Amino acid sequence: MDIVSIRDLSREQIEQVLERSERMIPYARGEMSSKALDGKILATLFFEPSTRTRMSFESAMMRLGGRITDLGVPSMSSISKGESLADTIRMVEVYSDIIVIRHPREGAARLAARFSSKPVINAGDGAGQHPTQTLLDLFTIKRIKKDFDKLKVVMVGDLKYGRTVHSMAEALSSFGVELTFVAPAALQMPKETVKQVEKAGGKPKLTNRLEETIADADVLYVTRIQKERFPDLAEYQKVAGMYRVDKRLLREAKSDLIVMHPLPRVDEIDPEVDDTQHAKYFEQAFNGVPVRMALLNLVLGGEL
Amino acid sequence: MKEFKVTPIRNGTVIDHIDCGMALKVLRIIGMTDGGKVQSPVSVLMHVPSKKEGWKDVVKVEDRELDPKEVDKIALIAPKATINIIRDFNVAEKYSVRMPERVVGKARCSNPNCITNQSEPVEPEFVVESKDPPVLRCVYCDRQLDDIAGNLL
Ligand SMILES: Nc1ncnc2c1ncn2[C@@H]1O[C@H](COP(=O)(O)OP(=O)(O)O)[C@@H](O)[C@H]1O
Ligand SMILES: [Mg+2]
Ligand SMILES: [Zn+2]
């Protein structure tokens, strides 16, 4: 079983992962210990820098009693000698039981899965998919709000290039969430994704005015506007800093509104928000561990 | 007696019911643009009324039958096309192009950042989401293929 796209999981499997993630929490915190994946080896292939995703996968594997191997310093490895990804995978699969890959090119994880007989989990492929982020975001909402039905979720920021927002929007609409997309026209949700959301039964609202959406919202999902995705600096500067979540904006919000962010943030969320009851982004980052534990356990058939 | 807009051909192939405007792309597929490959006359009708509906293009190639690879590519850009093999002035065989469920190794992915555009040992592969109009999605990067005609291999 590979998890390259969130679509590789059925609705039931997603629900199962969310349920199992809840059970993983005390283990993820180190309050209980487990040997569920004793003797198993996870290979982490990060061809692009990552802190949260890599560390939380490693932590998840170790919390379940498994071990980790990685590529080492990329400049020392065979990749810099021009080895194809396919060949790297054929090598790595014989050294490990499961492969987690982050790669700068779209489709890299699917290619890896085709060349590997061991399960492959996509930890982000360029501007493509990042299914484990979607799962941990869903888990964070479910954990706090209990139920998705009729929840009002506002997504703001870079909705065009943002790696996670597309699959997140599709998944949320299939759970009956009411979506609003807030972005400047140049960064709005792609038509294709809007269509997918509608197919899943949603009627998303599109706007560029964050202030107007805040009063009704149950979840405010903020994303970073990524400089790397822009053709030139001038274009980036036009839109960067357009939206800033601060205490003044949140005055209008419901008291149980939660603010989420996949991190790292730049200045989309003012640090003054961090110690309000709304801020859930650090909890969200922690949730990466139990969710990835649940996934590793599911894919490797661990007993827990 | 039939009325022909071009001189009837004795032997060859008539590619009929090409979507209007696609005739020149069909010519590219059958090798008209890499000189030398085509050794006999080719005539093109553009924007002629179709008995079925609306307008169509037609390409007539003398003294040559198409190979299956060419026919497969024509299907990707002109899904309604019919291939008529002419022998001794008559239509000896006639079939419709067929759009497959998957397209492997016939077009490159239009996403420059797709892993299949790197030197990896894989052929680009697409699932056909719609046959007419043709909509192809890359099985690797999950993007829709833009400009199919311009990305044919
Ligand atoms: N000898 C020929 N020379 C050139 N074109 C021909 C010849 N015979 C048939 N065609 C063309 O081939 C196509 C298919 O012919 P036919 O099967 O008779 O017509 P249709 O598909 O319209 O019923 C038509 O576009 C027709 O004009
Ligand atoms: Mg595989
Ligand atoms: Zn592709």
Side-chain angles (χ1 to χ4, degrees):
Chain A
M1 177 191 196
D2 302 303
I3 302 174
V4 172
S5 153
I6 192 81
R7 291 189 214 130
D8 293 339
L9 294 169
S10 67
R11 168 78 185 244
E12 291 69 42
Q13 283 173 315
I14 293 179
E15 276 166 2
Q16 193 187 351
V17 169
L18 301 184
E19 264 160 47
R20 290 195 182 195
S21 303
E22 184 65 43
R23 281 198 272 141
M24 294 293 171
I25 284 191
Y27 299 90
R29 288 199 185 118
E31 294 159 6
M32 290 167 80
S33 73
S34 163
K35 289 263 169 260
L37 298 183
D38 189 22
K40 301 281 190 204
I41 298 175
L42 163 72
T44 54
L45 302 190
F46 281 76
F47 295 93
E48 208 182 53
S50 153
T51 322
R52 257 157 298 278
T53 305
R54 185 176 53 76
M55 284 189 70
S56 68
F57 262 113
E58 293 179 352
S59 172
M61 189 63 180
M62 294 191 282
R63 294 289 195 200
L64 288 168
R67 288 163 179 264
I68 291 145
T69 179
D70 66 30
L71 279 178
V73 186
S75 65
M76 301 286 286
S77 66
S78 51
I79 293 92
S80 59
K81 297 182 193 122
E83 186 179 59
S84 68
L85 177 60
D87 279 359
T88 304
I89 295 297
R90 288 191 269 225
M91 164 197 74
V92 171
E93 73 150 343
V94 299
Y95 301 152
S96 59
D97 302 295
I98 182 167
I99 297 172
V100 169
I101 179 171
R102 155 79 57 99
H103 196 282
R105 304 224 178 250
E106 288 97 59
R110 184 67 71 199
L111 183 139
R114 287 201 162 187
F115 282 89
S116 170
S117 56
K118 306 285 171 61
V120 170
I121 299 183
N122 185 3
D125 56 340
Q129 305 280 328
H130 192 2
T132 64
Q133 178 73 44
T134 306
L135 288 167
L136 79 88
D137 292 342
L138 291 174
F139 178 66
T140 303
I141 296 177
K142 171 140 201 241
R143 190 139 202 267
I144 299 169
K145 297 291 183 187
K146 304 296 179 249
D147 196 11
F148 289 107
D149 204 39
K150 298 282 174 332
L151 219 53
K152 291 193 170 59
V153 177
V154 174
M155 302 178 92
V156 60
D158 172 5
L159 305 184
K160 184 174 181 196
Y161 303 102
R163 180 184 268 159
T164 55
V165 287
H166 308 152
S167 47
M168 181 67 175
E170 282 177 39
L172 283 172
S173 64
S174 76
F175 280 105
V177 161
E178 293 174 20
L179 289 165
T180 302
F181 303 140
V182 183
L187 292 178
Q188 241 323 342
M189 199 61 100
K191 279 200 195 77
E192 232 188 285
T193 311
V194 174
K195 258 198 233 148
Q196 289 294 334
V197 165
E198 286 167 345
K199 238 170 73 189
K203 288 188 203 69
K205 290 187 212 100
L206 279 70
T207 170
N208 59 8
R209 303 181 62 92
L210 181 59
E211 326 73 74
E212 289 171 4
T213 64
I214 202 79
D216 288 342
D218 298 301
V219 177
L220 179 60
Y221 190 96
V222 188
T223 63
R224 181 165 64 98
I225 295 185
Q226 288 182 297
K227 208 192 258 160
E228 310 88 271
R229 308 277 179 229
F230 282 83
D232 61 272
L233 197 66
E235 283 296 307
Y236 167 72
Q237 277 159 347
K238 257 191 247 164
V239 292
M242 242 178 105
Y243 302 110
R244 189 175 167 82
V245 178
D246 53 19
K247 279 190 171 163
R248 197 180 55 84
L249 177 84
L250 294 174
R251 270 206 307 252
E252 308 286 318
K254 295 202 233 172
S255 64
D256 63 352
L257 166 81
I258 62 170
V259 178
M260 295 171 64
H261 191 297
L263 303 179
R265 65 175 150 177
V266 183
D267 44 25
E268 309 83 34
I269 304 179
D270 193 304
E272 70 182 15
V273 176
D274 295 359
D275 40 46
T276 68
Q277 79 275 20
H278 303 297
K280 297 295 176 196
Y281 27 92
F282 297 118
E283 185 175 327
Q284 182 186 358
F286 163 76
N287 285 340
V289 180
V291 168
R292 290 176 175 120
M293 288 173 76
L295 269 179
L296 291 171
N297 204 46
L298 177 80
V299 174
L300 289 173
E303 301 279 327
L304 185 74
Chain B
M1 181 59 200
K2 280 201 165 189
E3 190 207 326
F4 287 118
K5 291 236 167 61
V6 291
T7 327
I9 60 176
R10 176 183 291 278
N11 293 306
T13 306
V14 175
I15 309 164
D16 199 359
H17 299 290
I18 298 169
D19 291 46
C20 224
M22 297 308 267
L24 298 177
K25 309 222 154 120
V26 170
L27 293 183
R28 176 127 51 103
I29 293 172
I30 62 174
M32 274 290 293
T33 46
D34 43 279
K37 194 173 170 191
V38 175
Q39 299 291 348
S40 51
V42 173
S43 44
V44 178
L45 291 174
M46 288 178 79
H47 206 263
V48 292
S50 160
K51 270 184 278 169
K52 286 188 191 156
E53 54 162 295
W55 303 87
K56 65 176 182 180
D57 290 356
V58 184
V59 168
K60 307 192 183 197
V61 194
E62 283 180 47
D63 298 322
R64 174 155 175 241
E65 295 186 6
L66 302 180
D67 77 51
K69 275 207 185 119
E70 292 171 318
V71 177
D72 287 351
K73 286 185 190 171
I74 293 170
L76 299 181
I77 61 163
K80 290 188 268 303
T82 59
I83 309 294
N84 302 271
I85 297 174
I86 311 293
R87 289 188 193 122
D88 205 18
F89 293 110
N90 287 311
V91 177
E93 272 177 55
K94 182 193 198 85
Y95 60 93
S96 301
V97 298
R98 222 188 99 262
M99 183 74 134
E101 306 289 322
R102 270 182 189 251
V103 174
V104 184
K106 296 202 171 60
R108 77 178 67 81
C109 184
S110 51
N111 171 10
N113 203 40
C114 177
I115 192 74
T116 60
N117 286 317
Q118 300 302 305
S119 39
E120 293 292 337
V122 289
E123 290 192 298
E125 183 173 333
F126 302 87
V127 279
V128 176
E129 288 193 339
S130 152
K131 298 197 174 190
D132 191 12
V135 176
L136 308 189
R137 187 173 300 280
C138 175
V139 303
Y140 290 94
C141 74
D142 207 35
R143 298 296 157 82
Q144 199 172 304
L145 176 55
D146 301 327
D147 183 18
I148 298 174
N151 284 295
L152 289 176
L153 288 169

